[in-house]
Amino acid sequence: MKMRAVVVNQAVEGDVEVVERDIRPLEFGEALVEVEYCGVCHTDLHVAAGDYGEKPGRVLGHEGIGLVTQVADGVKNLKIGDRVSIAWLFKGCGSCEYCNTGRETLCRSVLNAGYTADGGMATHCIVDADYAVKVPDGLDPAQASSITCAGVTTYKGVKVSGVRPGQWLAMYGAGGLGNLGVQYAKKVFGAHVIAIDINDGKLAFAKEMGADIVINAAKEDAAKVIQEKTGGAHAAVVTAVSKAAFNSAVDCVRAGGRVVAIGLPPESMDLSIPRIVLDGIEVVGSLVGTRKDLEEAFQFGAEGLVVPLVQKRPIEDAPAIFQEMREGKITGRMVIDMKCACGHNH
Ligand code: 8ID
Ligand code: ZN
């Protein structure tokens, strides 16, 4: 059996190609998923560019949603017809100190979809059944694809920020992750939200999604405005792909504030030691979410509290989508529709 897949090209300079591949037979504990939708995350762009190591030929994608069409021996939790996720947390060892203490995303022998394992940006994907999270009834599958990374990552990030109802949370970056982060922070955690970006269109969208204040960091000093208007945010979550945003986040929080780092630009941030020590600032990284976090994030989507904005595109558009993301042109999320029936000849 064959599948079509979006893979990192041989040059590993940020471009992708659509290829045909064989689908291998299933092994013990695995399931075959016929993918319906897969979102394009900025992490896919980092992987395609070799930002964390070169992976030519890797099938990308960790915002996959599809239907189980085959199960191998040893699969207990899934049956044919179930709708499941293909997430960045593709498979952990299941027995180390991280896997056993609710921190499975930090497992040292983890496999990540679309990076160290072939991912969901394809018509088919073989998954480890134990790590496929079921999509609840009532959640649109294309919207579920966005929650599989962008949603769960920002849901977890806001959780890690410790923000409480009525407090101020600064969301740096209002792209694919940030706009969902605004929604989780506002609608699920009851925070007051400031969205910061360098693109007015994305800020207008963040405002529509519930941001109380929006700031264009290309035109104003975001940290200064936040300190003036709120007395300093209680927490900041950084999804922007820029060191400048991380530095601003440290400056925008009040004493005792926490900065949660999510964006992954391959560079270092500045940390003033007196600022960290004298003002008791915490800076902490947060990586996607556990299977339990994803189950929770899905449920808030199914209940209509969080509504991802998705635009469906055919698989042939993948190279163009990567280019649009590189140029910062995407509002919401571009989602590849693996069964695109748009009427065009592809
Ligand atoms: O688990 C994780 N930690 C995780 C999970 C998923 C994604 C981390 N990520 C990382 C991605 O690898 C990427 O580095 O989060 C980052 C954001 O992913 P995304 O939301 O999918 O990217 P996007 O849609 O391109 O949005 C990025 C936004 O940042 C803004 C851009 O305008 C865009 O809206 N931005 C930039 I670039 N520079 C900015 C700045 N200086 C800025 N916003 C504010 N200030
Ligand atoms: Zn992602």
Side-chain angles (χ1 to χ4, degrees), residues 41 43 62-63 149 333:
C41 177
T43 300
H62 55 272
E63 285 195 352
C149 178
R333 216 37 147 191

Side-chain angles (χ1 to χ4, degrees), residues 15-304:
D15 294 317
V16 299
E17 55 192 347
V18 182
V19 299
E20 200 171 81
R21 286 271 173 89
D22 288 325
I23 303 174
R24 65 164 173 80
L26 297 185
E27 290 173 10
F28 187 87
E30 291 180 338
L32 179 65
V33 177
E34 208 170 288
V35 181
E36 301 173 283
Y37 299 102
C38 186
V40 179
C41 177
H42 205 114
T43 300
D44 295 305
L45 191 55
H46 291 302
V47 173
D51 284 351
Y52 323 118
E54 302 211 340
K55 307 279 177 200
R58 173 66 71 215
V59 179
L60 289 160
H62 55 272
E63 285 195 352
I65 294 292
L67 300 173
V68 174
T69 56
Q70 269 181 48
V71 288
D73 288 345
V75 172
K76 298 198 186 84
N77 62 322
L78 296 183
K79 59 180 190 318
I80 289 171
D82 283 346
R83 177 171 280 137
V84 296
S85 64
I86 300 150
W88 182 253
L89 175 61
F90 185 80
K91 182 184 169 67
C93 77
S95 56
C96 69
E97 75 174 275
Y98 299 106
C99 286
N100 285 336
T101 54
R103 296 177 292 163
E104 61 192 11
T105 65
L106 299 180
C107 171
R108 297 294 84 190
S109 43
V110 75
L111 287 181
N112 297 124
Y115 178 47
T116 46
D118 281 339
M121 209 175 287
T123 54
H124 298 77
C125 183
I126 294 173
V127 300
D128 183 292
D130 286 341
Y131 287 81
V133 175
K134 281 189 202 164
V135 178
D137 290 341
L139 180 57
D140 172 76
Q143 293 185 1
S145 75
S146 292
I147 294 176
T148 299
C149 178
V152 70
T153 300
T154 51
Y155 169 64
K156 181 60 173 262
V158 176
K159 232 189 208 187
V160 168
S161 83
V163 77
R164 293 197 298 276
Q167 293 187 331
W168 285 102
L169 180 128
M171 182 66 62
Y172 279 81
L177 263 65
N179 88 81
L180 288 178
V182 166
Q183 297 186 53
Y184 280 106
K186 182 80 189 175
K187 313 254 173 64
V188 175
F189 292 86
H192 290 136
V193 181
I194 309 145
I196 305 99
D197 204 288
I198 50 173
N199 177 308
D200 283 330
K202 295 188 195 201
L203 288 170
F205 178 53
K207 186 123 208 182
E208 248 178 74
M209 295 300 104
D212 299 278
I213 298 175
V214 297
I215 304 172
N216 186 327
K219 298 179 185 161
E220 286 182 288
D221 178 340
K224 188 159 165 267
V225 174
I226 293 167
Q227 290 290 351
E228 280 165 12
K229 287 198 175 168
T230 70
H234 297 84
V237 173
V238 191
T239 69
V241 195
S242 155
K243 154 188 183 158
F246 285 77
N247 292 341
S248 177
V250 172
D251 293 337
C252 90
V253 293
R254 64 182 64 193
R258 188 176 293 169
V259 175
V260 181
I262 285 180
L264 275 165
E267 49 192 358
S268 299
M269 65 188 285
D270 305 327
L271 277 180
S272 152
I273 294 168
R275 167 71 169 148
I276 301 300
V277 175
L278 299 177
D279 297 342
I281 309 295
E282 292 175 83
V283 179
V284 55
S286 183
L287 178 60
V288 291
T290 62
R291 288 168 285 181
K292 180 68 182 148
D293 292 317
L294 180 53
E295 185 189 315
E296 293 169 10
F298 273 155
Q299 188 55 33
F300 289 117
E303 290 167 11

